[in-house]
Amino acid sequence: MPDEELIQKIEELKEKKESLLVGGGKDRIEKQHKMGKLTARERIEALVDEGTFEEIDMLVKHRCTYFGLDKKEFPYDGVVTGFGEIKGKKVAIFSQDFTIQGGSLGEMHAKKIMKLQDLAMRYGIPLIGINDSGGARIQEAVDALYGYGGIFYRNTQASGVIPQITVIAGPCAGGAVYSPAITDFVIMVDQTSQMFITGPQVIKTVTGENIDKENLGGANIHNSKSGVAHLLAKDDQEAMELVRKLLSYIPSNNVDPVEPTDYDKSYKVPEEINEIVSPNPKKSYDVKDLIKLVFDPGTFFEIHPHFAKNIVVGFARLEGKSVGIIANQPKILAGSLDIDASDKAARFIRFCDSFNIPIITFVDTPGYLPGVSQEPGGIIRHGAKLLYAYSESTVPMITVILRKAYGGAYIAMASQHLGADFVFAYPTAEIAVMGSEGAANIIFAKEIESSENPEETRKKRVEEYKERFANPYEAASRGYIEDVIEPIETRKKLSASLSIAYSKVKPTPSKKHGNIPL
Ligand SMILES: CC(C)(COP(=O)(O)OP(=O)(O)OC[C@H]1O[C@@H](n2cnc3c(N)ncnc32)[C@H](O)[C@@H]1OP(=O)(O)O)[C@@H](O)C(=O)NCCC(=O)NCCSC(=O)CC(=O)O
């Protein structure tokens, strides 16, 4: 005979949980849907493998008594936290619920996130944060600020230990923006998400400028101009699919390897690869066409595709194993390295290195971009990040020089001198201090000027310089590159050299940490 009191207690528990599951109520959920947004719980459902989500701390309550909050209850204090699986891989997830007091972050809301961060670190699993919040819960004042501080601190401690991925699926204003900024990848949803340190109204008061929130901090601005966001999703559903895809290329932590996948063993790089890179340095091409032919078909996943398009970064698989790719893009700004390209590549290199993902670099760049916007903008310290990031990396690094590799940019783009394990060059490669025309104009200036036919002398000298240096053989003769290869051999050479370099052990000097130029 079941105990009546026990039955009643279980009923009470069920009712309590069911009442919490309605979040901020039907009307607010409807409003959320009308805006094209999923709710916090629907987002988690879209993210994880079916039926794998295990919630914790659903019964947490706020304890603020100011401004009438003592009379208000906020289910699970406006943030859903717990664990789930993505393609079988365990992950920790928090998802802010905008239907509950605008998803604002108070003391207990923050404590739930902090606890989850601590647990993700303890278990060595990725942390995924879904942000949809009006920021610090204004009534909770300094307790809310304590909360943000604790989250930032943990984000920083976790950096390089577990992957941290953020989805911005609504407003993210004020102090709230810095947690996503510390995480490894930020995905923003088009039209429904914004990030800014202060909104349009405050800007109008402080600086007198008029701007709407989309142009100030919408998904397009942060994906294409500021570089704050790495991926753009058309809606919440696509954002969750992007997280799932991203996770398949990266490990759970800085110790575990990425699981290799099956791949088509019969895949042969098509002959057309030999025709992509033209020997004419003025003829551009899309380096992504080459990348797609070299790696396992359909596996190239570009990161930051809308930002600093003169450099391409992303993941792909080579014989089922995950690799990170950095490639100059000759189609945009001739593949030159500017401030944004340096920042973009350096951060990606450091992610790969932190999580033991080998780095493959394709080089075709005339150099660092000179000019009046770049120098005062600090191209020197930004450009230095790229050299620094490659130099400090300890993962296997393989470099392929496709065509131009001039001067400082040759050194910066994972040259052997910065620690690349294998460097290959195509016959079209030009490894020199600078382009032949510029070089001849400088070193033969006096001779050209004083000759009877300056134009003819100039041409002759340019040709001489080109013949001497605009090729890969001078570098190969010194052993600065391991081999000159045909493009069609690229996949085979990369696989063979990676299989050797996987066991790489690179001793690093004992230090607390370096001081990368920021
Ligand atoms: C985010 C919004 C644009 C969303 O506008 P909407 O019209 O969609 O929604 P809304 O204003 O009706 O908000 C829904 C409910 O959430 C509440 N709400 C929203 N933001 C809140 C916050 N930060 N603290 C406490 N409550 C908040 C609203 O009062 C409302 O409650 P109800 O339903 O009961 O009426 C707006 O709410 C907003 O501007 N919020 C403040 C953003 C901000 O300045 N945050 C910075 C905080 S300071 C900070 O973070 C620290 C720092 O900057 O360093």
Side-chain angles (χ1 to χ4, degrees), residues 354-370:
S354 300
F355 292 100
N356 303 309
I357 299 169
I359 295 168
I360 296 175
T361 304
F362 294 97
V363 187
D364 188 348
T365 176
Y368 279 104
L369 186 69

mmCIF file with all atom_site columns, all heavy atoms in Angstrom, residues 354-370:
data_model
loop_
_atom_site.group_PDB
_atom_site.id
_atom_site.type_symbol
_atom_site.label_atom_id
_atom_site.label_alt_id
_atom_site.label_comp_id
_atom_site.label_asym_id
_atom_site.label_entity_id
_atom_site.label_seq_id
_atom_site.pdbx_PDB_ins_code
_atom_site.Cartn_x
_atom_site.Cartn_y
_atom_site.Cartn_z
_atom_site.occupancy
_atom_site.B_iso_or_equiv
_atom_site.pdbx_formal_charge
_atom_site.auth_seq_id
_atom_site.auth_comp_id
_atom_site.auth_asym_id
_atom_site.auth_atom_id
_atom_site.pdbx_PDB_model_num
ATOM 1   N N   . SER A 1 354 ? 46.411 25.560 -28.928 1.00 0.00 ? 354 SER A N   1
ATOM 2   C CA  . SER A 1 354 ? 45.906 25.221 -27.580 1.00 0.00 ? 354 SER A CA  1
ATOM 3   C C   . SER A 1 354 ? 45.303 23.827 -27.557 1.00 0.00 ? 354 SER A C   1
ATOM 4   O O   . SER A 1 354 ? 45.385 23.135 -26.550 1.00 0.00 ? 354 SER A O   1
ATOM 5   C CB  . SER A 1 354 ? 44.804 26.183 -27.149 1.00 0.00 ? 354 SER A CB  1
ATOM 6   O OG  . SER A 1 354 ? 45.263 27.473 -27.103 1.00 0.00 ? 354 SER A OG  1
ATOM 7   N N   . PHE A 1 355 ? 44.620 23.479 -28.651 1.00 0.00 ? 355 PHE A N   1
ATOM 8   C CA  . PHE A 1 355 ? 43.862 22.226 -28.644 1.00 0.00 ? 355 PHE A CA  1
ATOM 9   C C   . PHE A 1 355 ? 44.475 21.149 -29.555 1.00 0.00 ? 355 PHE A C   1
ATOM 10  O O   . PHE A 1 355 ? 43.777 20.232 -30.010 1.00 0.00 ? 355 PHE A O   1
ATOM 11  C CB  . PHE A 1 355 ? 42.387 22.510 -28.975 1.00 0.00 ? 355 PHE A CB  1
ATOM 12  C CG  . PHE A 1 355 ? 41.726 23.276 -27.857 1.00 0.00 ? 355 PHE A CG  1
ATOM 13  C CD1 . PHE A 1 355 ? 41.549 24.641 -27.926 1.00 0.00 ? 355 PHE A CD1 1
ATOM 14  C CD2 . PHE A 1 355 ? 41.342 22.625 -26.696 1.00 0.00 ? 355 PHE A CD2 1
ATOM 15  C CE1 . PHE A 1 355 ? 40.995 25.353 -26.867 1.00 0.00 ? 355 PHE A CE1 1
ATOM 16  C CE2 . PHE A 1 355 ? 40.779 23.317 -25.633 1.00 0.00 ? 355 PHE A CE2 1
ATOM 17  C CZ  . PHE A 1 355 ? 40.613 24.682 -25.717 1.00 0.00 ? 355 PHE A CZ  1
ATOM 18  N N   . ASN A 1 356 ? 45.769 21.284 -29.785 1.00 0.00 ? 356 ASN A N   1
ATOM 19  C CA  . ASN A 1 356 ? 46.533 20.226 -30.471 1.00 0.00 ? 356 ASN A CA  1
ATOM 20  C C   . ASN A 1 356 ? 46.018 19.860 -31.862 1.00 0.00 ? 356 ASN A C   1
ATOM 21  O O   . ASN A 1 356 ? 46.018 18.689 -32.251 1.00 0.00 ? 356 ASN A O   1
ATOM 22  C CB  . ASN A 1 356 ? 46.581 18.964 -29.593 1.00 0.00 ? 356 ASN A CB  1
ATOM 23  C CG  . ASN A 1 356 ? 47.181 19.283 -28.247 1.00 0.00 ? 356 ASN A CG  1
ATOM 24  O OD1 . ASN A 1 356 ? 48.254 19.879 -28.169 1.00 0.00 ? 356 ASN A OD1 1
ATOM 25  N ND2 . ASN A 1 356 ? 46.478 18.940 -27.173 1.00 0.00 ? 356 ASN A ND2 1
ATOM 26  N N   . ILE A 1 357 ? 45.561 20.863 -32.569 1.00 0.00 ? 357 ILE A N   1
ATOM 27  C CA  . ILE A 1 357 ? 45.104 20.627 -33.948 1.00 0.00 ? 357 ILE A CA  1
ATOM 28  C C   . ILE A 1 357 ? 46.225 21.080 -34.891 1.00 0.00 ? 357 ILE A C   1
ATOM 29  O O   . ILE A 1 357 ? 46.648 22.245 -34.837 1.00 0.00 ? 357 ILE A O   1
ATOM 30  C CB  . ILE A 1 357 ? 43.798 21.410 -34.232 1.00 0.00 ? 357 ILE A CB  1
ATOM 31  C CG1 . ILE A 1 357 ? 42.696 20.926 -33.282 1.00 0.00 ? 357 ILE A CG1 1
ATOM 32  C CG2 . ILE A 1 357 ? 43.376 21.284 -35.690 1.00 0.00 ? 357 ILE A CG2 1
ATOM 33  C CD1 . ILE A 1 357 ? 41.448 21.781 -33.276 1.00 0.00 ? 357 ILE A CD1 1
ATOM 34  N N   . PRO A 1 358 ? 46.755 20.175 -35.735 1.00 0.00 ? 358 PRO A N   1
ATOM 35  C CA  . PRO A 1 358 ? 47.858 20.553 -36.635 1.00 0.00 ? 358 PRO A CA  1
ATOM 36  C C   . PRO A 1 358 ? 47.469 21.722 -37.543 1.00 0.00 ? 358 PRO A C   1
ATOM 37  O O   . PRO A 1 358 ? 46.290 21.883 -37.893 1.00 0.00 ? 358 PRO A O   1
ATOM 38  C CB  . PRO A 1 358 ? 48.094 19.288 -37.466 1.00 0.00 ? 358 PRO A CB  1
ATOM 39  C CG  . PRO A 1 358 ? 47.485 18.181 -36.690 1.00 0.00 ? 358 PRO A CG  1
ATOM 40  C CD  . PRO A 1 358 ? 46.346 18.767 -35.911 1.00 0.00 ? 358 PRO A CD  1
ATOM 41  N N   . ILE A 1 359 ? 48.486 22.505 -37.894 1.00 0.00 ? 359 ILE A N   1
ATOM 42  C CA  . ILE A 1 359 ? 48.247 23.721 -38.684 1.00 0.00 ? 359 ILE A CA  1
ATOM 43  C C   . ILE A 1 359 ? 48.852 23.578 -40.080 1.00 0.00 ? 359 ILE A C   1
ATOM 44  O O   . ILE A 1 359 ? 50.042 23.268 -40.217 1.00 0.00 ? 359 ILE A O   1
ATOM 45  C CB  . ILE A 1 359 ? 48.884 24.934 -37.974 1.00 0.00 ? 359 ILE A CB  1
ATOM 46  C CG1 . ILE A 1 359 ? 48.170 25.196 -36.632 1.00 0.00 ? 359 ILE A CG1 1
ATOM 47  C CG2 . ILE A 1 359 ? 48.834 26.178 -38.857 1.00 0.00 ? 359 ILE A CG2 1
ATOM 48  C CD1 . ILE A 1 359 ? 48.900 26.181 -35.731 1.00 0.00 ? 359 ILE A CD1 1
ATOM 49  N N   . ILE A 1 360 ? 48.015 23.827 -41.087 1.00 0.00 ? 360 ILE A N   1
ATOM 50  C CA  . ILE A 1 360 ? 48.508 23.779 -42.471 1.00 0.00 ? 360 ILE A CA  1
ATOM 51  C C   . ILE A 1 360 ? 48.340 25.165 -43.084 1.00 0.00 ? 360 ILE A C   1
ATOM 52  O O   . ILE A 1 360 ? 47.255 25.746 -43.026 1.00 0.00 ? 360 ILE A O   1
ATOM 53  C CB  . ILE A 1 360 ? 47.762 22.699 -43.271 1.00 0.00 ? 360 ILE A CB  1
ATOM 54  C CG1 . ILE A 1 360 ? 48.111 21.350 -42.627 1.00 0.00 ? 360 ILE A CG1 1
ATOM 55  C CG2 . ILE A 1 360 ? 48.180 22.736 -44.746 1.00 0.00 ? 360 ILE A CG2 1
ATOM 56  C CD1 . ILE A 1 360 ? 47.438 20.175 -43.145 1.00 0.00 ? 360 ILE A CD1 1
ATOM 57  N N   . THR A 1 361 ? 49.432 25.679 -43.635 1.00 0.00 ? 361 THR A N   1
ATOM 58  C CA  . THR A 1 361 ? 49.422 27.061 -44.132 1.00 0.00 ? 361 THR A CA  1
ATOM 59  C C   . THR A 1 361 ? 49.703 27.089 -45.626 1.00 0.00 ? 361 THR A C   1
ATOM 60  O O   . THR A 1 361 ? 50.629 26.417 -46.097 1.00 0.00 ? 361 THR A O   1
ATOM 61  C CB  . THR A 1 361 ? 50.512 27.880 -43.400 1.00 0.00 ? 361 THR A CB  1
ATOM 62  O OG1 . THR A 1 361 ? 50.277 27.782 -41.990 1.00 0.00 ? 361 THR A OG1 1
ATOM 63  C CG2 . THR A 1 361 ? 50.483 29.334 -43.798 1.00 0.00 ? 361 THR A CG2 1
ATOM 64  N N   . PHE A 1 362 ? 48.888 27.848 -46.369 1.00 0.00 ? 362 PHE A N   1
ATOM 65  C CA  . PHE A 1 362 ? 49.115 28.042 -47.802 1.00 0.00 ? 362 PHE A CA  1
ATOM 66  C C   . PHE A 1 362 ? 49.499 29.504 -48.025 1.00 0.00 ? 362 PHE A C   1
ATOM 67  O O   . PHE A 1 362 ? 48.773 30.411 -47.606 1.00 0.00 ? 362 PHE A O   1
ATOM 68  C CB  . PHE A 1 362 ? 47.845 27.715 -48.598 1.00 0.00 ? 362 PHE A CB  1
ATOM 69  C CG  . PHE A 1 362 ? 47.464 26.261 -48.522 1.00 0.00 ? 362 PHE A CG  1
ATOM 70  C CD1 . PHE A 1 362 ? 46.513 25.823 -47.611 1.00 0.00 ? 362 PHE A CD1 1
ATOM 71  C CD2 . PHE A 1 362 ? 48.066 25.323 -49.353 1.00 0.00 ? 362 PHE A CD2 1
ATOM 72  C CE1 . PHE A 1 362 ? 46.163 24.481 -47.522 1.00 0.00 ? 362 PHE A CE1 1
ATOM 73  C CE2 . PHE A 1 362 ? 47.720 23.976 -49.277 1.00 0.00 ? 362 PHE A CE2 1
ATOM 74  C CZ  . PHE A 1 362 ? 46.776 23.547 -48.364 1.00 0.00 ? 362 PHE A CZ  1
ATOM 75  N N   . VAL A 1 363 ? 50.629 29.709 -48.684 1.00 0.00 ? 363 VAL A N   1
ATOM 76  C CA  . VAL A 1 363 ? 51.176 31.065 -48.799 1.00 0.00 ? 363 VAL A CA  1
ATOM 77  C C   . VAL A 1 363 ? 51.108 31.598 -50.232 1.00 0.00 ? 363 VAL A C   1
ATOM 78  O O   . VAL A 1 363 ? 51.589 30.950 -51.160 1.00 0.00 ? 363 VAL A O   1
ATOM 79  C CB  . VAL A 1 363 ? 52.655 31.086 -48.338 1.00 0.00 ? 363 VAL A CB  1
ATOM 80  C CG1 . VAL A 1 363 ? 53.176 32.520 -48.283 1.00 0.00 ? 363 VAL A CG1 1
ATOM 81  C CG2 . VAL A 1 363 ? 52.820 30.402 -46.986 1.00 0.00 ? 363 VAL A CG2 1
ATOM 82  N N   . ASP A 1 364 ? 50.489 32.754 -50.380 1.00 0.00 ? 364 ASP A N   1
ATOM 83  C CA  . ASP A 1 364 ? 50.594 33.521 -51.620 1.00 0.00 ? 364 ASP A CA  1
ATOM 84  C C   . ASP A 1 364 ? 50.307 34.970 -51.245 1.00 0.00 ? 364 ASP A C   1
ATOM 85  O O   . ASP A 1 364 ? 49.168 35.432 -51.311 1.00 0.00 ? 364 ASP A O   1
ATOM 86  C CB  . ASP A 1 364 ? 49.606 33.018 -52.685 1.00 0.00 ? 364 ASP A CB  1
ATOM 87  C CG  . ASP A 1 364 ? 49.855 33.695 -54.036 1.00 0.00 ? 364 ASP A CG  1
ATOM 88  O OD1 . ASP A 1 364 ? 50.615 34.682 -54.074 1.00 0.00 ? 364 ASP A OD1 1
ATOM 89  O OD2 . ASP A 1 364 ? 49.283 33.240 -55.053 1.00 0.00 ? 364 ASP A OD2 1
ATOM 90  N N   . THR A 1 365 ? 51.343 35.667 -50.806 1.00 0.00 ? 365 THR A N   1
ATOM 91  C CA  . THR A 1 365 ? 51.149 37.037 -50.328 1.00 0.00 ? 365 THR A CA  1
ATOM 92  C C   . THR A 1 365 ? 52.297 37.938 -50.764 1.00 0.00 ? 365 THR A C   1
ATOM 93  O O   . THR A 1 365 ? 53.463 37.555 -50.657 1.00 0.00 ? 365 THR A O   1
ATOM 94  C CB  . THR A 1 365 ? 51.017 37.064 -48.784 1.00 0.00 ? 365 THR A CB  1
ATOM 95  O OG1 . THR A 1 365 ? 50.930 38.429 -48.371 1.00 0.00 ? 365 THR A OG1 1
ATOM 96  C CG2 . THR A 1 365 ? 52.181 36.406 -48.055 1.00 0.00 ? 365 THR A CG2 1
ATOM 97  N N   . PRO A 1 366 ? 51.924 39.156 -51.238 1.00 0.00 ? 366 PRO A N   1
ATOM 98  C CA  . PRO A 1 366 ? 52.992 40.086 -51.622 1.00 0.00 ? 366 PRO A CA  1
ATOM 99  C C   . PRO A 1 366 ? 53.629 40.752 -50.409 1.00 0.00 ? 366 PRO A C   1
ATOM 100 O O   . PRO A 1 366 ? 54.620 41.451 -50.539 1.00 0.00 ? 366 PRO A O   1
ATOM 101 C CB  . PRO A 1 366 ? 52.257 41.119 -52.474 1.00 0.00 ? 366 PRO A CB  1
ATOM 102 C CG  . PRO A 1 366 ? 50.843 41.081 -51.997 1.00 0.00 ? 366 PRO A CG  1
ATOM 103 C CD  . PRO A 1 366 ? 50.588 39.682 -51.520 1.00 0.00 ? 366 PRO A CD  1
ATOM 104 N N   . GLY A 1 367 ? 53.015 40.589 -49.223 1.00 0.00 ? 367 GLY A N   1
ATOM 105 C CA  . GLY A 1 367 ? 53.624 41.175 -48.024 1.00 0.00 ? 367 GLY A CA  1
ATOM 106 C C   . GLY A 1 367 ? 52.602 41.800 -47.103 1.00 0.00 ? 367 GLY A C   1
ATOM 107 O O   . GLY A 1 367 ? 51.390 41.664 -47.317 1.00 0.00 ? 367 GLY A O   1
ATOM 108 N N   . TYR A 1 368 ? 53.110 42.454 -46.065 1.00 0.00 ? 368 TYR A N   1
ATOM 109 C CA  . TYR A 1 368 ? 52.238 43.245 -45.197 1.00 0.00 ? 368 TYR A CA  1
ATOM 110 C C   . TYR A 1 368 ? 51.765 44.461 -45.979 1.00 0.00 ? 368 TYR A C   1
ATOM 111 O O   . TYR A 1 368 ? 52.533 45.054 -46.729 1.00 0.00 ? 368 TYR A O   1
ATOM 112 C CB  . TYR A 1 368 ? 52.994 43.674 -43.942 1.00 0.00 ? 368 TYR A CB  1
ATOM 113 C CG  . TYR A 1 368 ? 53.066 42.586 -42.891 1.00 0.00 ? 368 TYR A CG  1
ATOM 114 C CD1 . TYR A 1 368 ? 54.224 41.860 -42.686 1.00 0.00 ? 368 TYR A CD1 1
ATOM 115 C CD2 . TYR A 1 368 ? 51.949 42.285 -42.108 1.00 0.00 ? 368 TYR A CD2 1
ATOM 116 C CE1 . TYR A 1 368 ? 54.283 40.849 -41.724 1.00 0.00 ? 368 TYR A CE1 1
ATOM 117 C CE2 . TYR A 1 368 ? 51.999 41.291 -41.143 1.00 0.00 ? 368 TYR A CE2 1
ATOM 118 C CZ  . TYR A 1 368 ? 53.166 40.578 -40.953 1.00 0.00 ? 368 TYR A CZ  1
ATOM 119 O OH  . TYR A 1 368 ? 53.212 39.594 -40.009 1.00 0.00 ? 368 TYR A OH  1
ATOM 120 N N   . LEU A 1 369 ? 50.499 44.828 -45.812 1.00 0.00 ? 369 LEU A N   1
ATOM 121 C CA  . LEU A 1 369 ? 49.920 45.941 -46.572 1.00 0.00 ? 369 LEU A CA  1
ATOM 122 C C   . LEU A 1 369 ? 50.472 47.265 -46.050 1.00 0.00 ? 369 LEU A C   1
ATOM 123 O O   . LEU A 1 369 ? 50.301 47.582 -44.878 1.00 0.00 ? 369 LEU A O   1
ATOM 124 C CB  . LEU A 1 369 ? 48.391 45.920 -46.430 1.00 0.00 ? 369 LEU A CB  1
ATOM 125 C CG  . LEU A 1 369 ? 47.606 46.913 -47.277 1.00 0.00 ? 369 LEU A CG  1
ATOM 126 C CD1 . LEU A 1 369 ? 47.672 46.551 -48.756 1.00 0.00 ? 369 LEU A CD1 1
ATOM 127 C CD2 . LEU A 1 369 ? 46.161 46.979 -46.823 1.00 0.00 ? 369 LEU A CD2 1
ATOM 128 N N   . PRO A 1 370 ? 51.126 48.028 -46.950 1.00 0.00 ? 370 PRO A N   1
ATOM 129 C CA  . PRO A 1 370 ? 51.613 49.329 -46.478 1.00 0.00 ? 370 PRO A CA  1
ATOM 130 C C   . PRO A 1 370 ? 50.501 50.376 -46.553 1.00 0.00 ? 370 PRO A C   1
ATOM 131 O O   . PRO A 1 370 ? 49.420 50.082 -47.054 1.00 0.00 ? 370 PRO A O   1
ATOM 132 C CB  . PRO A 1 370 ? 52.718 49.645 -47.492 1.00 0.00 ? 370 PRO A CB  1
ATOM 133 C CG  . PRO A 1 370 ? 52.323 48.928 -48.743 1.00 0.00 ? 370 PRO A CG  1
ATOM 134 C CD  . PRO A 1 370 ? 51.423 47.788 -48.362 1.00 0.00 ? 370 PRO A CD  1
#
